[in-house]
Amino acid sequence: MPRTHHDPVADAVPAPPPAAAPDGDPLVRERAHLAASRAALRVMRDEVESLDIRDVTANWVNREALEHQIELRIEALADHAHTPLFFGRVDFLTAPGPQPAAEAAGERFYIGRRHVHDAAGDPMVIDWRAPVSQAFYRASRAEPLDVGLRRRFGYTGGELTAYEDERLSDPVGPGAEGGPGASALLQREIERPRVGPMRDIVATIQPEQDEIVRGGLTGTVCVQGGPGTGKTAVGLHRVAYLLYAHRERLARTGTLVIGPNRSFLRYIEQVLPALGEVQVRQATLEELVGHVEVRAVDGARAAVVKGDARMAEVLRRALYAQVTVVEEPVVVVRGSRRWRVPAYELAEMVEELLGRGLRYGAAREALPQRIAHAVLVRMEQAGEAPDDRVQDAVARDRAVKAAVKRVWPPVDPATLVWRLLSDAEFLAEHAAGLLDGAEQRAVLWERASRGVRSARWSTADAVLIDEARDLVERTPSLGHVVVDEAQDLSPMQYRAVGRRCSTGSATVLGDLAQGTTPWATRDWATALGHLGKADAVVEELTAGFRVPREVIGYASRLLPRIAPGLAAVESVREAPGSLTVRQVEPEERESAVLSAVAEALGREGSVGLIAADVRVPDWTAALAAAGVPHLAPGEETRAEVRLALVPASLAKGLEYDRVVLDEPAAVVAGEPDERTGLRRLYVALTRAVSGLVVVHAEPLPPALDG
């Protein structure tokens, strides 16, 4: 069992200066190293800020690009006072022969969020992503990896106040591998109250999480993880690791994090900058496919059909049906000569391009050159000697342009989708054998717009347009994409994500039990096939670190109904009293909820009042009448306002120290079917990190009753 050493004074008040304690006190030495490391980091930043590039760049373009890189470097070297610069230390043994960390044998390394070196270039803090840092996360008494001592540090308000030593060279005994619960500092860090955006977990990464984080760039990984298993944090730390290990490559190809909504992205937006990564784009899927303004909402049936992968083939058929049968020859006039390309030869060119599987737009751009080449062959046969300039001129000839427009017309993706959704005959022609009559009627607009500009597009329509755009012109691929809450994506949405990493890799994060859309993912193999990553590795996280055992156990009673066969999360945290279920009379429900909120606000940390969406306006009024400051849906908690009013539909992915859940039956009833409603309830029940109070007047779902 690791032994924890505290400074009792420092835990209560700011730590005294190092000189105030005995010279032999390890805390004094560690605080001195922290102070020296912070000073070295300031010097590193000052050196970058003082760079003079006036005589380095050749022109203003290079100067602006270099200035931008310097600004990013300065930002990455920022020292945040309340963010520990290092959180651990590993002391390697001096051992002969090859060792997993032989290059570090006998040396001591401090592990932190970024690299810090002294004036001589010697490391004072090692980046947590460096190879030598891996031993800090994975070493155990069973496999010490040449580590003699692992030390964890505890902080209070940015001051180093405690340390905990684990001597891995000690003999392995019963209970030696106690997991995170065996470390008091680790447990305290996990349970630390959370107000504001999501924090990084770099100090608490577990071996199974570290293995996923440090996976290679070329492979796609899918992480199935229940509430509190840290899958979102693992995905974000994986991005940070890949940028460290493959920075030059990803600097060229780019990275992207896709979240389910803006509230979620605001919640996680500080994690990567805290790790020194400030250039990762974060977006919702709706923003990625935002080629048109979304002003309509589909019914469940229409959304399911529009999101079905069969729609990709419908779109492909409709697009390539625009290529017409060749009936006329092309006649090009050059000076006094006329050059004729017969209809059958032109038809062969069209068939050849169709058979090559090119994008519609790329094939259309190639056709004029094919025609021009045929003309040049005839010129050469007639004794002329045309060059490339002549071929380009022929390709731009009015007769050639007219023939291409007639045979292979330009297509606007939005117009193509508009016609499919507004023209029953056009849809029936291209959906034959794919969609039955009922499905075709489901996707057709009830009131067809007169044109694309007046169309009321839905989110699913925008995804269809994105698919059509890719059929016309290839979507640029990024080096790595992370998509969170992936279980809620439709097949067509998976395809939209897959297009953006077609030549790169992806990290897919989700939980099948939390799927709350009508098209929610049922198995990862099928979903990964739609993504275009059928060979992806699926990793399952089953150890819970955030949600107390009592809370996750209560919520897991729903699993046999919402996700049969899925393993329940086994929380490592016991927190007696963390779950309270209060049944009240209907007329007492509001006062009971307000009382529970007041109790939660009387303790440390953030508080979330989660309610069915339909009840949110009533709770907005009730909280205002009671004089309780709160944040509107979509806003994050902060120190001065710790209570957030959260619609059940926006709760996914968010965490609060304490949660008050109003009327579970209303959450279930707010969804189109019971199973989806129970999944929404499962999400709401698992947002609490320290305590959950369930208030209900209506009967609970049978699985939770009793």
Side-chain angles (χ1 to χ4, degrees):
M1 177 74 70
R3 184 178 179 184
T4 306
H5 307 265
H6 292 273
D7 182 332
V9 176
D11 277 348
V13 298
D23 290 341
D25 187 346
L27 270 176
V28 172
R29 294 195 299 271
E30 300 297 15
R31 287 171 180 163
H33 187 77
L34 176 61
S37 299
R38 289 197 183 282
L41 181 61
R42 285 194 296 273
V43 171
M44 291 170 62
R45 182 175 174 132
D46 290 343
E47 288 177 348
V48 178
E49 289 179 328
S50 64
L51 288 175
D52 186 353
I53 62 171
R54 286 175 298 182
D55 299 327
V56 175
T57 56
N59 54 59
W60 68 270
V61 176
N62 291 341
R63 183 176 66 252
E64 286 196 357
L66 186 55
E67 285 175 349
H68 178 64
Q69 292 299 318
I70 290 174
E71 289 172 2
L72 293 176
R73 178 61 176 163
I74 292 171
E75 186 177 353
L77 290 172
D79 184 8
H80 304 287
H82 295 288
T83 301
L85 196 55
F86 57 79
F87 48 82
R89 194 185 96 187
V90 284
D91 296 359
F92 288 95
L93 298 170
T94 301
Q99 298 290 332
E103 74 280 359
E107 295 189 66
R108 171 180 298 171
F109 294 95
Y110 288 82
I111 312 301
R113 286 168 172 78
R114 64 197 51 147
H115 174 86
V116 180
H117 60 255
D118 60 17
D122 295 325
M124 301 186 71
V125 180
I126 296 293
D127 194 302
W128 66 276
R129 298 167 289 187
V132 74
S133 301
Q134 182 172 319
F136 175 78
Y137 296 107
R138 298 197 191 181
S140 65
R141 291 189 183 180
E143 293 185 63
L145 302 180
D146 200 40
V147 174
L149 174 75
R150 173 166 52 206
R151 175 170 287 179
R152 300 182 190 274
F153 298 104
Y155 289 81
T156 301
E159 298 292 340
L160 199 162
T161 58
Y163 69 92
E164 180 182 82
D165 285 347
E166 187 178 3
R167 298 192 180 279
L168 302 181
S169 56
D170 291 348
V172 178
E177 301 304 315
S183 168
L185 289 182
L186 194 60
Q187 187 83 356
R188 191 170 75 175
E189 173 62 21
I190 290 173
E191 296 175 352
R192 182 159 57 97
R194 58 210 58 229
V195 176
M198 179 181 178
R199 301 191 301 262
D200 65 71
I201 63 164
V202 65
T204 63
I205 294 174
Q206 296 301 296
E208 63 272 23
Q209 295 173 326
D210 187 67
E211 187 173 347
I212 297 172
V213 167
R214 295 177 191 266
L217 174 61
T218 56
T220 289
V221 61
C222 172
V223 182
Q224 158 64 41
T229 56
K231 60 183 177 297
T232 296
V234 166
L236 294 175
H237 286 67
R238 176 162 163 75
V239 172
Y241 171 78
L242 292 175
L243 286 167
Y244 175 89
H246 307 278
R247 187 168 303 280
E248 186 173 329
R249 178 175 173 181
L250 289 178
R252 296 193 309 269
T253 57
T255 52
L256 171 68
V257 174
I258 303 174
N261 51 59
R262 266 287 135 195
S263 296
F264 178 83
L265 291 178
R266 284 193 295 270
Y267 177 61
I268 68 170
E269 65 184 357
Q270 295 303 317
V271 173
L272 289 169
L275 299 173
E277 300 300 341
V278 295
Q279 283 190 290
V280 179
R281 181 187 174 194
Q282 299 182 7
T284 66
L285 186 60
E286 287 75 12
E287 291 167 344
L288 291 179
V289 300
H291 313 298
V292 292
E293 181 183 358
V294 173
R295 298 185 296 156
V297 177
D298 285 316
R301 178 59 173 163
V304 168
V305 179
K306 290 179 181 179
D308 194 292
R310 292 173 293 169
M311 288 300 299
E313 177 60 18
V314 174
L315 286 166
R316 193 197 66 79
R317 289 181 183 180
L319 175 63
Y320 283 94
Q322 308 306 306
V323 180
T324 61
V325 177
V326 179
E327 297 179 345
E328 300 177 14
V330 177
V331 179
V332 176
V333 178
R334 295 281 298 173
S336 60
R337 302 291 300 270
R338 293 163 60 89
W339 308 98
R340 183 176 182 275
V341 180
Y344 78 86
E345 191 172 342
L346 185 57
E348 289 175 354
M349 297 177 194
V350 171
E351 288 300 320
E352 187 266 338
L353 288 171
L354 287 172
R356 290 186 59 189
L358 298 174
R359 292 295 196 279
Y360 184 92
R364 186 176 187 276
E365 291 176 0
L367 183 56
Q369 291 293 334
R370 292 288 200 283
I371 297 173
H373 178 72
V375 171
L376 259 66
V377 169
R378 284 161 172 75
M379 288 181 174
E380 291 171 348
Q381 291 173 342
E384 296 188 15
D387 55 20
D388 290 344
R389 290 174 298 177
V390 174
Q391 179 165 334
D392 290 339
V394 173
R396 296 191 301 269
D397 185 86
R398 182 179 301 177
V400 173
K401 287 183 176 181
V404 171
K405 185 176 182 179
R406 183 173 63 253
V407 173
W408 207 301
V411 173
D412 172 60
T415 301
L416 181 73
V417 175
W418 168 78
R419 189 178 176 191
L420 273 173
L421 301 180
S422 60
D423 186 335
E425 291 185 3
F426 187 70
L427 175 63
E429 178 184 355
H430 301 297
L434 293 172
L435 305 180
D436 61 30
E439 290 172 323
Q440 292 177 33
R441 290 189 294 274
V443 302
L444 281 169
W445 288 333
E446 292 182 6
R447 295 182 180 179
S449 61
R450 294 185 177 181
V452 174
R453 292 184 179 180
S454 61
R456 289 178 56 83
W457 302 103
S458 69
T459 298
D461 298 337
V463 176
L464 294 178
I465 293 173
D466 190 72
E467 178 83 26
R469 285 171 62 94
D470 186 70
L471 287 169
V472 174
E473 183 177 353
R474 184 183 299 276
T475 303
S477 175
L478 298 167
H480 193 77
V481 172
V482 175
V483 54
D484 205 351
E485 302 298 347
Q487 74 280 344
D488 281 337
L489 298 185
S490 70
M492 291 298 288
Q493 288 174 324
Y494 276 113
R495 290 176 62 88
V497 174
R499 285 192 283 279
R500 286 157 176 85
C501 56
S502 58
T503 60
S505 57
T507 299
V508 181
L509 311 168
D511 179 14
L512 298 179
Q514 295 186 60
T516 51
T517 55
W519 49 84
T521 301
R522 296 188 177 184
D523 67 90
W524 289 120
T526 301
L528 293 168
H530 294 312
L531 188 71
K533 307 292 182 182
D535 58 346
V537 175
V538 179
E539 301 282 359
E540 187 170 6
L541 296 175
T542 57
F545 305 99
R546 304 291 187 203
V547 185
R549 185 174 300 174
E550 294 78 3
V551 174
I552 194 65
Y554 182 69
S556 294
R557 296 182 190 178
L558 298 173
L559 285 179
R561 178 70 180 87
I562 63 177
L566 196 65
V569 172
E570 293 290 336
S571 178
V572 302
R573 295 177 52 219
E574 288 189 27
S578 58
L579 172 67
T580 303
V581 181
R582 297 175 183 170
Q583 183 173 10
V584 298
E585 296 299 321
E587 62 272 14
E588 300 172 344
R589 183 177 55 81
E590 182 177 309
S591 61
V593 170
L594 291 175
S595 175
V597 168
E599 291 175 16
L601 289 171
R603 302 187 181 185
E604 195 177 10
S606 60
V607 180
L609 169 55
I610 302 179
D613 290 35
V614 69
R615 292 178 180 264
V616 169
D618 293 339
W619 279 118
T620 300
L623 291 170
V628 181
H630 67 282
L631 298 168
E635 295 183 288
E636 282 71 47
T637 55
R638 51 184 186 267
E640 63 273 20
V641 184
R642 295 188 291 119
L643 172 65
L645 176 57
V646 187
S649 63
L650 289 182
K652 194 173 297 181
L654 304 180
E655 291 180 341
Y656 302 91
D657 287 287
R658 301 185 184 280
V659 167
V660 178
L661 175 60
D662 168 51
E663 203 61 81
V667 174
V668 177
E671 300 299 327
D673 60 80
E674 184 188 31
R675 186 175 185 182
T676 304
L678 290 174
R679 287 184 169 185
R680 184 75 71 188
L681 177 59
Y682 179 76
V683 171
L685 288 168
T686 54
R687 300 304 96 198
V689 175
S690 297
L692 169 67
V693 178
V694 179
V695 179
H696 71 101
E698 300 178 36
L700 292 170
L704 300 180
D705 194 11

